[in-house]
C-alpha cells in the first residue's frame, strides 16, 4: 500500500511540474516572414473604421501567454469595431451588452473576474444619431460570451460560417450566444474565395478586398480572422482569440498548456493560425481581440465620427 501511495505521490508531483513548466517562456519556432505581395484591395475613399470599447475584465498575463508574469494584471478588452462602407456598415464582434452581468453569471466561478462596464455598442451608436439602417450585420470572430453579449441589443443579422454554426449547437461556451441569437437572423457566409495570406480560404465581404474573412478555426470550430484594408493604405488583422495578448505575436508565445486544453477545441490548429499571423506581423497591424493596446491606432467612435453619416 505504501508503494502505491508513493507512486501516486510521485505521479502527482510529476504532473504538477509539467503544468508549472507549461507557464514558462517557450517561444514557438519563428516562421518565415511573408515576403510576397499583399493581396490587392480597392477600398472606397469614404470607407472608415472605428473602435467602440464596451468594457474590460481582468486577467493575469501568466494565464494569457507563456512567460507572462503573475504580477502583471491586465485589463482584457471587450471592444467592437465598426467598418463604415458605402455598401453597408459592418461590426466586428459586439462587446458587452446591457445584460452582461447575467451573461457573466453563466460562467463557472473560476472564470468570473473583476470587470468594468462601459456603454454598449447600441448606446454609443444611438448617442451619435447613427442611422441603424446602415448596419448590415455583425461579423463575429467566434461565439464566446465576451464577443457576442452586445448582440442582444442589435437587431441586425449575425454573420457566421457553417463550422461555427455547428459549434454553437453543442458547446457549453456558446450558451450566451444561443440565448441572444435565438431572436436574430443568421447570415451564413461561406469561404468561397481563394487562399489569403497563408490561410486556406477566404470570403471577400464587399468584393473589393476591403474586408476579407479567413477560416482560422481551432479556438472554436469556426473562428475567423477578419482582415480590414482601409483606403489610407493601412492593413489590419482582427484575429479574435488566436492569442489573447499581443505578446502571443511579438514573443511567439502561445497559451500555457492548461489554458490551451481549457480554451481551445483544437490547440494545434490555433498554433498553425498564430504562426501564419506571426509571419505577417511586419506587414499588418495585428489586433488580438482582448489586448486594449492593440486598438490604439483605430480612432474611437464619437459624435464627430458620424458627421455626414
Amino acid at each position: 500500500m505504501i508503494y502505491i501511495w508513493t507512486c501516486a505521490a510521485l505521479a502527482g508531483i510529476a504532473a504538477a511540474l509539467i503544468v508549472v513548466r507549461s507557464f514558462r517562456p517557450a517561444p514557438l519556432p519563428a516562421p518565415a516572414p511573408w515576403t510576397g505581395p499583399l493581396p490587392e484591395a480597392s477600398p472606397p475613399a469614404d470607407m472608415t473604421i472605428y473602435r467602440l470599447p464596451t468594457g474590460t475584465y481582468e486577467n493575469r498575463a501568466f494565464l494569457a501567454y507563456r512567460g507572462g508574469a503573475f504580477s502583471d494584471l491586465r485589463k482584457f478588452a471587450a471592444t467592437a469595431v465598426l467598418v463604415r462602407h458605402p455598401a453597408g456598415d459592418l461590426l466586428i464582434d459586439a462587446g458587452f451588452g446591457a445584460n452582461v452581468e447575467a451573461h457573466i453569471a453563466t460562467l463557472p466561478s473560476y472564470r468570473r473576474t473583476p470587470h468594468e462596464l462601459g456603454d454598449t455598442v447600441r448606446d454609443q451608436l444611438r448617442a451619435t444619431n447613427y442611422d441603424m439602417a446602415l448596419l448590415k450585420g455583425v461579423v463575429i470572430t467566434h461565439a464566446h460570451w465576451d464577443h457576442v453579449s452586445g448582440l442582444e441589443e442589435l437587431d441586425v443579422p449575425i454573420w457566421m460560417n457553417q463550422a461555427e454554426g455547428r459549434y454553437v449547437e453543442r458547446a457549453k461556451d456558446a450558451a450566451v450566444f444561443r440565448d441572444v441569437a435565438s431572436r436574430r437572423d443568421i447570415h451564413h457566409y461561406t469561404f468561397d474565395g481563394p487562399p489569403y495570406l497563408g490561410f486556406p480560404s477566404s470570403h471577400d465581404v464587399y468584393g473589393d478586398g476591403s474586408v476579407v474573412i479567413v477560416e482560422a478555426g481551432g479556438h472554436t470550430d469556426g473562428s475567423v480572422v477578419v482582415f480590414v484594408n482601409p483606403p489610407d493604405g493601412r492593413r489590419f488583422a482582427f484575429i479574435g482569440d488566436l492569442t489573447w495578448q499581443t505578446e502571443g505575436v511579438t514573443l511567439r508565445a502561445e497559451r500555457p498548456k492548461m489554458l490551451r486544453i481549457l480554451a481551445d477545441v483544437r490547440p494545434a490548429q490555433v498554433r498553425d493560425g498564430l504562426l501564419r499571423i506571426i509571419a505577417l506581423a511586419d506587414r499588418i497591424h495585428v489586433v488580438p481581440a482582448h489586448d486594449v493596446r492593440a486598438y490604439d491606432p483605430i480612432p474611437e467612435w464619437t459624435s464627430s465620427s458620424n458627421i455626414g453619416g
Side-chain angles (χ1 to χ4, degrees):
M1 181 63 70
I2 293 176
Y3 173 77
I4 294 174
W5 280 109
T6 301
C7 289
L10 290 174
I13 292 171
L17 289 173
I18 291 173
V19 170
V20 169
R21 288 182 62 188
S22 78
F23 286 87
R24 294 178 179 173
L28 295 171
W34 182 271
T35 57
L38 296 177
E40 290 188 10
S42 301
D46 52 351
M47 173 190 167
T48 52
I49 64 171
Y50 299 94
R51 57 185 161 102
L52 290 85
T54 65
T56 60
Y57 59 97
E58 293 182 358
N59 246 320
R60 295 192 179 273
F62 93 105
L63 294 173
Y65 62 91
R66 293 196 65 163
F70 180 85
S71 59
D72 186 357
L73 188 61
R74 301 279 176 100
K75 290 185 180 296
F76 273 40
T79 296
V81 171
L82 178 66
V83 177
R84 304 211 68 184
H85 193 286
D89 298 349
L90 277 178
L91 281 166
I92 302 171
D93 287 335
F96 289 166
N99 291 322
V100 69
E101 299 284 5
H103 297 159
I104 292 173
T106 67
L107 303 174
S109 58
Y110 71 89
R111 290 180 56 191
R112 301 176 203 163
T113 62
H115 55 278
E116 297 177 0
L117 304 181
D119 292 332
T120 66
V121 167
R122 180 191 64 178
D123 288 346
Q124 292 181 58
L125 293 176
R126 283 185 172 179
T128 61
N129 295 315
Y130 174 82
D131 182 358
M132 295 298 292
L134 298 175
L135 188 59
K136 65 188 295 183
V138 182
V139 177
I140 59 170
T141 58
H142 61 287
H144 286 162
W145 72 276
D146 43 351
H147 298 255
V148 304
S149 173
L151 292 174
E152 199 164 30
E153 296 93 48
L154 297 170
D155 190 13
V156 295
I158 301 168
W159 284 46
M160 185 171 63
N161 59 72
Q162 294 179 346
E164 195 69 353
R166 293 191 294 270
Y167 176 81
V168 301
E169 290 176 357
R170 59 173 174 78
K172 291 182 180 179
D173 277 347
V176 170
F177 177 85
R178 287 192 292 271
D179 178 50
V180 300
S182 65
R183 300 175 292 280
R184 298 289 174 264
D185 292 333
I186 305 295
H187 172 73
H188 287 290
Y189 62 87
T190 60
F191 296 105
D192 50 2
Y196 190 93
L197 291 174
F199 289 87
S201 56
S202 63
H203 176 69
D204 188 337
V205 171
Y206 297 104
D208 58 13
S210 61
V211 178
V212 178
I213 308 171
V214 301
E215 188 175 10
H219 182 57
T220 63
D221 290 338
S223 294
V224 300
V225 170
V226 185
F227 289 94
V228 178
N229 307 310
D232 59 10
R234 293 181 298 168
R235 301 257 179 163
F236 295 91
F238 296 94
I239 67 170
D241 287 6
L242 275 178
T243 178
W244 288 321
Q245 297 286 283
T246 297
E247 286 86 352
V249 177
T250 58
L251 302 181
R252 306 195 308 277
E254 59 187 343
R255 287 184 261 277
K257 185 172 183 178
M258 181 187 300
L259 276 296
R260 296 201 303 272
I261 293 171
L262 291 173
D264 301 327
V265 295
R266 289 185 297 278
Q269 192 171 354
V270 174
R271 178 183 292 177
D272 289 344
L274 181 57
L275 288 171
R276 291 185 179 112
I277 289 296
I278 291 169
L280 298 168
D282 289 340
R283 311 280 299 277
I284 291 175
H285 182 75
V286 178
V287 184
H290 298 304
D291 194 318
V292 173
R293 305 162 297 177
Y295 293 93
D296 286 347
I298 304 169
E300 188 167 345
W301 178 262
T302 64
S303 57
S304 61
S305 307
N306 199 37
I307 294 176

